[in-house]
Amino acid sequence: MTISEIAKLAGVSKACVSRYLNHGYVSEEKKKLIQKVIDETGYVPSHQAQILRTGKSRQIGVILPKINSESIGCMVAGISSVLNNNGFSILLANTENNIEKEFEYLELFQKGQVEGVIFFATMQTPQHRSLLQNYPVPMVVLSQKSEYLSCVYNNDFGAAKEIARLLLETEHKNVGYIGVTQKDRAVGFARRAGFLEAMQEAGLDIPEEHMLTTGFMLEDGNAAAQQLFTRAPETNAVFCATDTLAIGAMQFIKGLGKRIPEDVSIVGIGHSRMTEIVSPRLTTAHLFYETGGAEAAKMLLQILDSGIDMKMQVKLGFEIVRQEST
């Protein structure tokens, strides 16, 4: 089945069918005629032929740090919804938190058949800056603030500061911190900075040995809590940079025979589904992950439509979710 044959069966011009297949303007009446023929014949347009005709692939590359993350899954859902509604498909590239894989995928997408890239940034090295500043494919950075590319990011500093303030509303003031590497500018650096500013404003000086850095997994939170309570058994308030770390820490704390929140208060950030399932339910900060993904996709489509990157920056808000762990 060819475009010419579809045009003949639908009673429209070949150019009209071509516009329809490439998402150009076609009247509603002709759209119905063309789609009827496509449905009846089972015609599937050749993707490679479309690229050759239009020079456009209708594909967006999405580079993400790990695929088995609820927050990232929510952001991808937001991206997918917007792109699918606009006739684009996505190519997912999972780096497994490996910087070298990030660079491999960035180089692959700039040579491959994608019209744009959404990049879930975690670390920003000089090598990242050099590559991204001169990147030949339109790009939007998601989850990190960027001064040289359009970006959508969470208010990680503000969320951490507010949830730390809430932690200090309890009678517990022997505070410990469980976070991730500061090379991660959002979850590591910004959330740590927000926590420390809240402590400083409250007149509390947190010893460095009470501040633990670990990985992102449940077992990392559990192991970090064990290390924290070994160093400082008097700890009765724990700030965790993510919900996953907080729930891992809760497992260890309850294993010590301590009650939450009576003996130890604990908070996280993210408002994952697990916070509503664990007992007690975790006090946390809700971040608008799916909205962030959708905004990044809309921003990229705007850049593709205009041909200009205005270096737009969108900082998302947050909501404090008071539950049972404080």
Side-chain angles (χ1 to χ4, degrees):
M1 179 65 64
T2 66
I3 289 179
S4 298
E5 291 170 322
I6 292 174
K8 185 176 180 179
L9 290 171
V12 299
S13 69
K14 180 179 174 181
C16 182
V17 176
S18 180
R19 285 198 305 274
Y20 176 78
L21 294 175
N22 291 300
H23 307 281
Y25 173 75
V26 178
S27 69
E28 288 300 320
E29 180 184 358
K30 290 181 179 179
K31 280 182 182 179
K32 291 177 182 177
L33 290 171
I34 296 169
Q35 189 59 51
K36 184 173 183 292
V37 172
I38 289 173
D39 291 341
E40 291 175 349
T41 61
Y43 171 78
V44 178
S46 165
H47 185 65
Q48 293 299 323
Q50 283 185 312
I51 295 173
L52 290 172
R53 283 197 308 272
T54 66
K56 296 181 178 180
S57 66
R58 308 297 292 181
Q59 291 182 329
I60 300 298
V62 178
I63 301 175
L64 46 84
K66 56 181 177 177
I67 205 148
N68 60 337
S69 162
E70 182 181 339
S71 60
I72 290 173
C74 289
M75 287 186 274
V76 170
I79 293 169
S80 180
S81 176
V82 170
L83 293 182
N84 287 342
N85 288 339
N86 285 273
F88 283 82
S89 58
I90 61 176
L91 297 177
L92 291 180
N94 178 22
T95 69
E96 300 174 345
N97 279 312
N98 185 314
I99 292 182
E100 293 306 316
K101 283 191 176 182
E102 281 187 356
F103 291 126
E104 287 176 13
Y105 284 124
L106 285 167
E107 292 176 6
L108 178 66
F109 281 151
Q110 73 178 3
K111 297 173 183 176
Q113 295 169 341
V114 298
E115 292 189 48
V117 174
I118 296 176
F119 179 39
F120 285 69
T122 53
M123 303 181 189
Q124 295 189 40
T125 65
Q127 190 177 354
H128 279 98
R129 187 179 185 91
S130 175
L131 177 60
L132 297 183
Q133 276 185 313
N134 302 296
Y135 204 68
V137 178
M139 175 183 286
V140 170
V141 172
L142 182 56
S143 296
Q144 295 276 356
K145 185 177 181 180
S146 173
E147 301 298 339
Y148 44 89
L149 286 169
S150 289
C151 61
V152 179
Y153 62 101
N154 292 301
N155 186 357
D156 292 285
F157 176 89
K161 184 175 179 179
E162 286 305 310
I163 201 74
R165 281 175 170 172
L166 188 152
L167 184 65
L168 294 177
E169 289 179 6
T170 70
E171 63 183 17
H172 301 149
K173 296 294 187 291
N174 294 319
V175 185
Y177 170 92
I178 298 175
V180 302
T181 174
Q182 292 189 72
K183 291 180 180 179
D184 185 316
R185 300 294 295 175
V187 180
F189 180 83
R191 294 184 190 180
R192 177 187 170 101
F195 164 80
L196 287 174
E197 185 160 304
M199 297 300 109
Q200 184 179 21
E201 289 180 356
L204 294 179
D205 183 22
I206 309 300
E208 191 63 33
E209 60 268 24
H210 294 183
M211 299 189 66
L212 283 297
T213 297
T214 187
F216 286 86
M217 307 302 289
L218 203 70
E219 53 268 30
D220 295 323
N222 189 300
Q226 181 178 1
Q227 190 175 358
L228 173 63
F229 279 85
T230 299
R231 293 180 179 181
E234 73 282 3
T235 299
N236 55 19
V238 182
F239 174 102
C240 295
T242 74
D243 290 340
T244 301
L245 292 177
I247 293 167
M250 287 172 69
Q251 290 177 333
F252 177 78
I253 292 166
K254 287 190 285 186
L256 288 176
K258 293 181 180 290
R259 299 166 301 163
I260 300 172
E262 292 85 357
D263 301 321
V264 180
S265 296
I266 185 167
V267 297
I269 295 178
H271 196 204
S272 67
R273 286 174 293 181
M274 289 178 65
T275 64
E276 304 291 341
I277 298 171
V278 293
S279 180
R281 292 182 301 146
L282 181 67
T283 293
T284 184
H286 179 85
L287 301 180
F288 297 92
Y289 291 121
E290 188 165 346
T291 300
E295 289 300 317
K298 291 175 185 176
M299 191 178 285
L300 182 57
L301 291 179
Q302 185 177 341
I303 294 170
L304 292 174
D305 186 55
S306 66
I308 302 171
D309 185 354
M310 299 297 292
K311 307 295 188 294
M312 297 170 281
Q313 295 184 352
V314 172
K315 180 167 71 173
L316 302 169
F318 61 89
E319 291 179 356
I320 298 300
V321 182
R322 294 173 180 257
Q323 301 200 108
E324 299 163 352
S325 67
T326 54

